[in-house]
Amino acid sequence: MSKIVKILGTGCPKCMQTTAIVSDVVKENNIDATIEKVEDIMDIMKYNVMATPAVVINEEVVIKGRVPSKSELIEVLMG
Amino acid sequence: MFDWIQNIADYIVFDLLGMGSESHLSEALNFFIYDTVKIFLLLFVIIFLMGIVNSYFPIDKVRNFLSRNKLYGFEYLMASLFGVVTPFCSCSSIPLFIGFVKGGIPLGVTFAFLVTSPLVNEVAIGLFAGLFGLKITTIYVISGIVLGMVSGIILQKLKLERFLTPWVKDILTNAEKEQDKFISEKQKFTQRLPVIWNEVLKILKGVLPYVVIGIAVGGLMHGYIPEGFFEKYMSKDNLLAVPVSTLLAVPMYSNASGILPVVQVLVEKGIPLGTAIAFMMAVVGLSLPEAMLLKKVMSLKLIGIFFGVVTLCIIISGYLFNIIL
């Protein structure tokens, strides 16, 4: 099943970095996932996060408030 | 504590480069090397420590605590302290702001957080410690926290909820005391460390050019401007100095890390410390990019009132410091 990965962030450098890392990991590991950037603050707030960037996989917040490392992304994306 | 850095600077300038200790250039260069090494060392230590605190800090728990308990004024102090430990990145300010509103936390308390968060951050603390020493840094941090509290209390009294943007007002009316569960991250320190470490390097790299330029300019001024030069123009008796320098400082931001080293030299050359602290608080704490971000959640009028109240508090504290220090 294809995963929907959303990156929540208002466009700050950290959020862009997170997006880059997520797309790298997806590409490198041939993960079946679509990546969406959520930049609108109103949409971001629907996920109840108080610190960006955040990574949402299939509507579940898995990482918030920091740029994730590749290894932990692989873990959450493959699991 | 930093004698060894002075020794290194002396060695490089006087022995390695063979410059005489009397010339302006050698004095400026010596100062530049000493300050750069010391400041980066302190920045490194403080950003690293704050990174660790940050990584473990339970934002959601604090928010829920603030929203659930009646604290009889203590909530302002807590929100202000909360602002100290939250990250430097201003892009998290808005999500945090909304998170607070959602939890039914009074607007004034949220403002207390919003004032202290940029004002007392790891880069500012590191620079202050390097440039002005522990005593002034402590004064800066404590007054930053108090400033957040006082501004928050004043803004709460003004009942500004009506000036929020409509979608935030909606959130406000639907605010709930109990927040639903959140996933707390269980990570080992060894897993957190690389993330913290990268963050430290990134912040340092970001401020590096500004700080180096600032110290270079400061170094030149240190070598060439005579002691007490500014006393003539900006003495404590000059009542306009504090408000003028505060107002000048509000629009400056991106180069705050470059401005602080220059201000340090200005103080050395006779600008009163209170005036300088007011100036720096306004540089670090209030900025146009921040105002632009806030437009998402506040009307322009509210941003104006918010900045106005904080500016006023900064000016008052500038006068206070000039009297006390």
Side-chain angles (χ1 to χ4, degrees):
Chain A
M1 194 191 84
S2 176
K3 286 193 168 94
I4 299 169
V5 184
K6 289 182 180 170
I7 292 127
L8 317 182
T10 42
C12 57
K14 278 193 209 169
C15 313
M16 291 188 243
Q17 218 182 336
T18 307
T19 313
I21 294 176
V22 171
S23 37
D24 278 357
V25 168
V26 167
K27 238 179 264 163
E28 283 164 18
N29 299 282
N30 288 318
I31 296 168
D32 183 16
T34 44
I35 301 169
E36 276 175 49
K37 277 199 82 181
V38 182
E39 291 196 339
D40 190 87
I41 185 77
M42 293 184 199
D43 293 330
I44 292 174
M45 287 323 295
K46 286 182 195 142
Y47 292 94
N48 224 349
V49 295
M50 286 202 294
T52 54
V55 178
V56 177
I57 299 176
N58 292 338
E59 299 303 300
E60 190 193 341
V61 181
V62 288
I63 283 153
K64 53 185 169 181
R66 63 198 165 81
V67 180
S69 68
K70 277 195 172 180
S71 58
E72 73 178 303
L73 271 175
I74 291 173
E75 214 171 284
V76 290
L77 279 165
M78 304 286 252
Chain B
M1 191 175 156
F2 295 109
D3 286 350
W4 60 275
I5 306 177
Q6 188 59 61
N7 292 339
I8 294 173
D10 286 348
Y11 174 76
I12 294 175
V13 175
F14 303 133
D15 297 337
L16 223 54
L17 298 173
M19 293 165 86
S21 56
E22 293 304 306
S23 83
H24 280 322
L25 184 65
S26 71
E27 202 183 314
L29 191 66
N30 190 301
F31 176 83
F32 175 75
I33 296 171
Y34 174 71
D35 252 26
T36 314
V37 174
K38 184 174 72 174
I39 286 164
F40 272 93
L41 212 70
L42 281 162
L43 272 177
F44 174 79
V45 171
I46 286 162
I47 296 172
F48 189 64
L49 289 178
M50 292 284 264
I52 295 173
V53 172
N54 230 309
S55 175
Y56 282 94
F57 196 80
I59 298 180
D60 310 74
K61 274 187 198 155
V62 173
R63 194 260 312 255
N64 288 356
F65 180 79
L66 278 174
S67 114
R68 253 185 263 125
N69 299 294
K70 259 201 151 322
L71 294 163
Y72 310 102
F74 261 111
E75 61 268 35
Y76 290 97
L77 176 64
M78 279 194 64
S80 207
L81 287 172
F82 188 41
V84 175
V85 295
T86 47
F88 180 58
C89 178
S90 58
C91 44
S92 263
S93 295
I94 300 299
L96 269 161
F97 179 87
I98 301 296
F100 271 45
V101 172
K102 240 182 167 173
I105 294 167
L107 204 55
V109 178
T110 312
F111 273 122
F113 159 78
L114 223 49
V115 173
T116 320
S117 178
L119 192 58
V120 188
N121 66 65
E122 60 271 37
V123 175
I125 296 175
L127 283 170
F128 259 86
L131 293 164
F132 294 95
L134 205 62
K135 188 183 153 208
I136 305 291
T137 310
T138 314
I139 291 172
Y140 178 82
V141 171
I142 292 174
S143 49
I145 294 167
V146 174
L147 199 87
M149 289 168 63
V150 172
S151 313
I153 292 168
I154 295 173
L155 288 161
Q156 178 64 25
K157 289 264 180 284
L158 294 176
K159 301 217 180 305
L160 299 160
E161 282 80 358
R162 63 207 146 102
F163 295 121
L164 291 167
T165 48
W167 72 281
V168 182
K169 269 189 233 166
D170 284 347
I171 293 176
L172 194 67
T173 41
N174 297 320
E176 40 201 300
K177 293 277 173 205
E178 292 286 331
Q179 290 291 323
D180 42 15
K181 64 171 173 58
F182 51 88
I183 334 140
S184 57
E185 296 190 82
K186 289 200 174 53
Q187 274 191 306
K188 284 196 221 92
F189 185 66
T190 46
Q191 284 172 301
R192 289 172 193 258
L193 198 60
V195 179
I196 298 169
W197 181 251
N198 283 335
E199 196 53 38
V200 172
L201 294 184
K202 216 170 66 213
I203 296 176
L204 274 182
K205 241 189 252 164
V207 297
L208 180 103
Y210 296 110
V211 175
V212 169
I213 293 170
I215 298 173
V217 173
L220 284 175
M221 289 164 61
H222 176 83
Y224 289 99
I225 299 177
E227 288 305 314
F229 178 75
F230 289 103
E231 249 149 324
K232 271 182 280 180
Y233 309 103
M234 291 184 96
S235 69
K236 287 185 184 184
D237 310 325
N238 186 344
L239 286 180
L240 274 177
V242 174
V244 167
S245 45
T246 306
L247 291 174
L248 269 177
V250 174
M252 298 185 202
Y253 177 72
S254 53
N255 34 16
S257 33
I259 290 172
L260 295 195
V262 177
V263 173
Q264 188 247 338
V265 178
L266 295 183
V267 170
E268 205 171 274
K269 304 293 183 189
I271 286 185
L273 200 55
T275 312
I277 289 183
F279 176 80
M280 290 180 289
M281 281 186 156
V283 170
V284 182
L286 295 172
S287 69
L288 286 180
E290 195 201 343
M292 296 312 291
L293 275 173
L294 291 175
K295 258 185 71 183
K296 292 245 182 202
V297 291
M298 299 173 194
S299 65
L300 275 178
K301 195 167 177 190
L302 179 51
I303 298 175
I305 297 171
F306 169 43
F307 272 46
V309 169
V310 177
T311 307
L312 201 70
C313 289
I314 291 177
I315 292 174
I316 293 168
S317 57
Y319 283 129
L320 272 178
F321 283 135
N322 275 347
I323 295 167
I324 303 167
L325 294 173

